[in-house]
Amino acid sequence: MSAPLKLHFDIDGENFTSAGEASVKVKKWLRQLGLPQDIIRRVAIAMYEGEINMVIHASGGYAEVTVFPDRIEIILCDKGPGIKDVELAMQAGYSTAPERIRSLGFGAGMGLPNMKANSDTMKINTEIGVGTTITMTVNM
Amino acid sequence: MKIREIASLAGAEVLACGELLDTEVFSACGSDMMSDVLAFVKDQGLLITGLVNTQVVRTAEMMDMRAILFVRNKRPTPEIIELAEKCEIVVMASPLRMFEACGLIYESGLKGTALK
Ligand SMILES: Nc1ncnc2c1ncn2[C@@H]1O[C@H](COP(=O)(O)OP(=O)(O)OP(=O)(O)O)[C@@H](O)[C@H]1O
Ligand SMILES: [Mg+2]
């Protein structure tokens, strides 16, 4: 593989319409690298949920995706409000999204559980008022 | 089931990728909440929704879905149609409500899937 093995994206926190574009690019890139479809889909879903969260709950940030020989690592970093109770946030159905976000099709409280289900490891570092960094890996 | 049959069952107008109507879909998911859809993992799926924005297409793309059926006479914007054309996802719009659309399509043999 001669293509660059690491990609960096700035995630615009102000633009809901463009949210997810980084995940689309990652999906195309992994396809070009010839990775198996189920691996690509797991990365795409996990990253897309995280990217949407950065836009609707934080104010954007950056994403970094690295392809290692045995795994894909996704880092999502924002300077948003942080997550008060991570264990609670991880529960299916828990959401603090206001009605405005629900009318956009998000706020079911399924994003973090979906990220967990589609990754092999997931680590959340968060601090109130400082931001949240989520690191996920998907094994090949 | 061929996408063409779904369009005809739902009395739907085809708005994007009409050349792909002979593609087969094997499962379907109906929801207005995109993370509910993203919890559903199945190949060659159909997304039935009353939500209209670009994230619907992006969700379908992440899931490798083949077609989107908008219900309740919702009209996707040109931007949505253009995005779907780029992703090779068929877009249809039906006057039916979600419940009726899902019922008709289910009854005709296309099944949903259990949550993982
Ligand atoms: N990056 C983040 N910064 C701050 N809070 C977050 C972040 N990501 C998630 N949260 C908090 O965790 C909750 C649960 O997140 P999760 O993604 O599971 O659900 P949701 O985004 O509310 O709804 P859905 O993902 O189903 O559209 C959110 O409602 C929010 O309070
Ligand atoms: Mg979410």
Side-chain angles (χ1 to χ4, degrees):
Chain A
M1 290 190 276
S2 57
L5 293 181
K6 185 180 209 150
L7 290 188
H8 177 100
F9 302 92
D10 291 315
I11 312 291
D12 181 359
E14 303 300 310
N15 191 342
F16 174 76
T17 302
S18 67
E21 279 177 358
S23 303
V24 170
K25 285 183 189 142
V26 165
K27 193 169 188 209
K28 291 204 175 110
W29 177 53
L30 297 181
R31 223 183 265 144
Q32 277 165 13
L33 292 177
L35 301 185
Q37 197 192 7
D38 60 319
I39 302 281
I40 297 176
R41 183 153 58 197
R42 289 174 63 204
V43 171
I45 293 170
M47 177 167 171
Y48 178 63
E49 289 280 18
E51 198 184 340
I52 293 281
N53 278 355
M54 287 169 80
V55 175
I56 65 180
H57 303 300
S59 39
Y62 70 85
E64 218 163 69
V65 182
T66 314
V67 177
F68 293 100
D70 61 335
R71 69 188 189 281
I72 296 156
E73 183 184 78
I74 307 146
I75 298 174
L76 302 161
C77 181
D78 69 60
K79 294 193 162 53
I83 302 174
K84 212 185 288 164
D85 184 341
V86 172
E87 205 181 312
L88 187 61
M90 286 300 299
Q91 285 178 14
Y94 176 83
S95 175
T96 60
E99 184 49 39
R100 184 180 62 84
I101 297 296
R102 293 181 59 84
S103 70
L104 294 171
F106 292 89
M110 290 304 296
L112 289 171
N114 282 349
M115 288 159 75
K116 174 117 185 120
N118 283 287
S119 57
D120 289 295
T121 68
M122 175 167 158
K123 207 173 67 204
I124 303 180
N125 272 315
T126 186
E127 203 181 321
I128 296 299
V130 177
T132 301
T133 300
I134 300 185
T135 306
M136 294 180 284
T137 61
V138 173
N139 294 337
M140 299 215 236
Chain B
M1 185 181 290
K2 284 203 162 70
I3 298 172
R4 182 184 303 286
E5 293 170 58
I6 292 162
S8 127
L9 276 169
E13 193 181 329
V14 177
L15 301 169
C17 294
E19 71 283 4
L20 299 175
L21 285 179
D22 287 317
T23 308
E24 291 277 346
V25 292
F26 300 116
S27 58
C29 178
S31 181
D32 290 352
M33 297 304 271
M34 291 304 105
S35 291
D36 279 343
V37 178
L38 288 155
F40 155 104
V41 178
K42 258 284 147 106
D43 270 327
Q44 310 240 127
L46 163 72
L47 172 55
I48 307 166
T49 188
L51 178 75
V52 183
N53 62 40
T54 49
Q55 299 305 341
V56 174
V57 180
R58 231 161 254 144
T59 297
E61 187 184 7
M62 290 302 134
M63 304 291 293
D64 301 309
M65 289 174 138
R66 301 304 164 99
I68 299 168
L69 178 67
F70 288 108
V71 293
R72 301 196 298 269
N73 266 327
K74 296 282 169 81
R75 305 303 293 189
T77 60
E79 189 187 11
I80 294 173
I81 292 172
E82 194 186 315
L83 190 61
E85 289 276 358
K86 233 184 268 168
C87 307
E88 302 185 342
I89 295 171
V90 179
V91 171
M92 301 169 280
S94 163
L96 296 178
R97 290 173 185 213
M98 175 71 96
F99 182 72
E100 278 86 35
C102 292
L104 276 172
I105 294 167
Y106 188 94
E107 202 176 47
S108 301
L110 192 66
K111 300 298 182 206
T113 187
L115 284 176
K116 234 187 17 168

